[in-house]
Amino acid sequence: MNRASLDKRPDEVATMFDDVAPKYDVVNDVLSLWQTRRWRKVVVDAMEASKGQRVLDLAAGTGTSSEPYADAGIDVVACDFSLGMLKVGKRRRPDINFVAGDATNLPFADNSFDATTISFGLRNVNEPKKALQEMLRVTKPGGRLVIAEFSQPVVPLWRTMYTEYLMRALPAIATKVASNPDAYVYLAESIRAWPDQDHLAAWLQESGWEKVTYRNLTGGIVAVHRAFKAEESTPDNAAAAIAAHKGPVAKLRRNIVR
């Protein structure tokens, strides 16, 4: 892998997403063999959001991941750093509140949301651990975080087959269906370089999140992590929570889904 290709400035990544915005959702469906809709449904179920609650959807892009909450009458804020993505989303769903924002410096007050989620966007953040701390800051005490991100297949043979698809077939398919195939080469490399399920779970614990669990989807190609903010959250007990998390991470399969 060419590590230099991953060393993009945040503005370069934003421009890349601006370029692919018009066809982004369609291309994602094709490249994932139409698995993205199932993965997003698992995220929505794990969020357990209800009317009267306020949800922050980070890396929301064109708002596809925000739509289920809006359709259920939930107050959802779709936040992304790509203005191109936000413009496409706002044209398609003018009823959703789209906000431009950097995940490492969110434009929201402390304790603003009942739940926060980010799907397939954390690995594109320049400082993911800082972003996890920002998500903790804007989430209310007792609130939850749900992350869907590409991960590491758990069966060695499946992992090998997936890596071959990721680095060979995905860019070839993107050349035929995407407006900016080079963007999908970057995305494939970013997926392969991303840490596995346990590493992300450890990052969550280190950032002060509690009750960290995850569920593997499609053999571990995707992992859905869920965590909670302490009921009484202050800077002092957040630091204590970080220091206290030294044990193994619980691995969930069924019980993060209603």
Side-chain angles (χ1 to χ4, degrees), residues 40 43-44 47 54-70 75-81 86 96-99 101 103 106 108 113 115-121 135 138 145-148:
R40 292 192 189 282
V43 171
V44 172
M47 284 285 283
R54 193 173 186 225
V55 169
L56 173 60
D57 184 16
L58 287 173
T62 63
T64 302
S65 55
S66 305
E67 288 179 345
Y69 307 107
D75 180 12
V76 61
V77 175
C79 183
D80 200 281
F81 69 161
L86 295 173
I96 293 177
N97 183 16
F98 287 88
V99 175
L106 292 171
F108 309 108
F113 297 92
T116 300
T117 183
I118 181 169
S119 292
F120 309 107
M135 295 176 208
V138 302
L145 170 67
V146 176
I147 299 173

Side-chain angles (χ1 to χ4, degrees), residues 76-95:
V76 61
V77 175
C79 183
D80 200 281
F81 69 161
S82 166
L83 295 179
M85 288 282 192
L86 295 173
K87 288 177 182 177
V88 171
K90 195 63 178 177
R91 285 198 301 268
R92 191 165 53 86
R93 287 298 298 260
D95 58 311

Side-chain angles (χ1 to χ4, degrees), residues 222-235:
V222 169
V224 175
H225 287 69
R226 187 168 72 172
F228 292 83
K229 184 172 179 176
E231 289 286 349
E232 296 295 332
S233 183
T234 67

Side-chain angles (χ1 to χ4, degrees), residues 7-46:
D7 295 333
K8 292 182 179 290
R9 300 190 311 270
D11 61 312
E12 292 177 319
V13 177
T15 299
M16 180 186 71
F17 279 102
D18 290 345
D19 291 342
V20 301
K23 294 183 178 180
Y24 185 73
D25 294 318
V26 173
V27 174
N28 278 354
D29 281 343
V30 172
L31 294 178
S32 70
L33 305 179
W34 287 269
Q35 289 297 300
T36 50
R37 299 178 188 185
R38 172 178 172 259
W39 296 336
R40 292 192 189 282
K41 184 179 185 306
V42 172
V43 171
V44 172
D45 289 344

